Amino acid sequence: MILEKSVVEYLDNYHIGKCYNSYEYFGAHMIHAKERKGVRFTLWAPNALAVSVVGSFNEWDDNIHQMERLNDNGIWHLFIPSIKEGEQYKYKLILPDGRHIYKADPYAFHSEVRPGTSSIIVDLNQYNWNDSSFLQTRQAYNPLTSPINIYEIHLGSWNVKENSTLEDDIYKSLHPKYFYSYREIADQLIPYLKEMHYNFIEILPLMEHPFDGSWGYQVTGYYSMTSRYGTPQDLMYLIDTCHQANIGVIFDWVPGHFCRDEHGLLYFDGTPLYDGIDHPNWGTKKFNFYRSEVRNFLISNASFYFEKYHIDGIRVDGVTSILQMNFGLDNETYVNEYGNGEDLHGVAFLKELNTEVFKKYPYAIMAAEESSSWPLVTAPVEDSGLGFNLKWKMGWMNDTLQYISMDPLFRKGSHDLITFSMHYANSENFLLPFSHDEVVHGKKSMIDKCPGSYEDKFLTLKLTMLYQITHPGKKLNFMGNEIAQFIEWRYYEPIEWFLLEYDAHQRFHHFIKTINKLYLQEKALYEKDYCDEGFQWIDADNCSQSIFSYIRYYNKEDFIIVILNFTPVGYDEFRIGVPYEGEYRILLETKHEPFRKTKIKYVKTEEVPMHNFEQSITISLDGLQGVLIKKKRTKKS
């Protein structure tokens, strides 16, 4: 097959240039060549002595379809006519030592359902998208000044088909027995998201992975969305339907390391082609970010999700392990040329990644799951930052969960666990996560972290969720948090939806729906997340009562006062300073239903100085209660 000059030039440049759409050239593409339909196969394997394509179309005979080496950079290609969509294939590589191995296509767009490992030929351009209105609107989207309320989901365990027993040998029964397909789950999930007022979903990694128990974080197929839940077109339907409902979609992505399964990237052509150092705990290989081909492979992969799947953002997993040669662990096994553990090439990769993404997709969410104190994670690359626009606020999450886990009698001694977060609130553009990682491995579910009686647990969790929704920063909660599930998340079981048959769980579910809706409606809770003028403490020092009070501002006439009482002690009259004279409405009380008052209740200010304000109001404040208060607008406003 004679390739076009532009294709040859691109492939020649792959090993030294910035080729960020490499998925258009590598892999298996259904094309017309010389009036014949077929598939063009292209592979990078510079150290292989020979490569052949084997598959269901040639009875897996490794002698029929030998690939041609295109150039000295190790790019192989072959056009095979008459191959149809759905055919399975692999590459057979002859290694320098004479051995041979069979590898899945690194650029495969679809894969066999595990435990099978073959790649599958598919045409990604056949789906008819219906989200043009959403795509046009998002061009002007600014994540930093918009409400972002994310529902984090693992598709395989959000819900499963009736009578499924996922503890069976998963590898003996394929996905139809257990999982709803992408299409099937769309019809359940999207109405639920709308009902609960989440405006984004973040899906745990969908890239093909061999082991369900890895949750998708040990990847073998970066361009292949897992076949557990159906075809690429089925996933496109899910995303398309989300967009038609004005719900954004974020992919969880793992560009730091890959798993060691033989059919994957490990020692792909008999040499460490993609491979960097070993992770001592995860049993994975770090990517070698020094190689331009590896950077092209990964940055093209990010672009691929935006282009082919219309996603709205990426959560980059394990950023610390990319930044640090020793993965952020307490050792110094590896050092760079300057004698420290910073991975200079990993840093450069992240900057290159974010520069390219925002150049092409300025509306994108690029969120870093970064657990260290690395500076300027969300600063622009031109200002010496890494270039992300959001960073998970892991310190806030850890401090908050530690605080709510304490007996209320001892919380006054750890008051700073709540107040400290505001000391560095604007050092990055933070996202506040209560993610899947916090409800597994013996950490307990969110409600089970809370001490006290059955009722106290629910009251404390309501307080916690109100604290999250009113604290500066975007929001994320893992599925199950919204129904106060008592057991930890198990990837092989669905959420315990039956809990909604119980009054306490149903009321909590309604509470989450209420504050989610309030969050989307009130600009004071999101417009100025990253501005000093968006937040003001009323009283940050009331450790003796474990009561926190602060203001979230949109402007001087539009603000919300937040009062959080983290002890069971209540007060018939609790006085609090307010910034302006007038009438204030009790907007929400966590302890009383309906949570948003149907009968409007106003409190008038008094000229009694309090908390450095000239005016104050008096309200009743029950134990373990949160209250939201909003000033009545004047006529001119």
Side-chain angles (χ1 to χ4, degrees), residues 22-23 25-29 40-43 89 91 105 107-109:
S22 57
Y23 56 87
Y25 297 86
F26 289 91
H29 291 266
R40 182 192 69 208
F41 295 89
T42 309
L43 177 71
Y89 71 100
Y91 295 112
D105 189 344
Y107 282 89
F109 299 144

Side-chain angles (χ1 to χ4, degrees), residues 456-467:
D456 286 349
K457 285 178 178 290
F458 279 95
L459 292 174
T460 301
L461 189 55
K462 286 178 183 177
L463 262 181
T464 305
M465 294 305 187
L466 187 64
Y467 171 53

Side-chain angles (χ1 to χ4, degrees), residues 266-292:
L266 184 73
Y267 293 107
F268 188 82
D269 63 355
T271 68
L273 201 59
Y274 295 88
D275 314 31
I277 60 178
D278 296 316
H279 194 291
N281 297 339
W282 298 341
T284 57
K285 277 282 190 179
K286 186 171 185 174
F287 276 104
N288 180 2
F289 298 112
Y290 172 76
R291 298 198 70 144
S292 60

Side-chain angles (χ1 to χ4, degrees), residues 253 255 289 295 299 316-324 343-356 366 368 370 374 377 381 385-388:
W253 185 45
F289 298 112
R295 298 195 304 274
I299 297 174
V316 180
D317 176 71
V319 169
T320 302
S321 69
I322 297 174
L323 295 171
Q324 302 285 354
D343 189 331
L344 302 176
H345 303 297
V347 174
F349 160 72
L350 291 173
K351 292 182 177 183
E352 191 176 340
L353 165 71
N354 287 314
T355 298
E356 178 62 17
M366 291 296 289
E370 204 287 305
W374 190 280
V377 172
V381 171
L386 294 181
F388 291 94

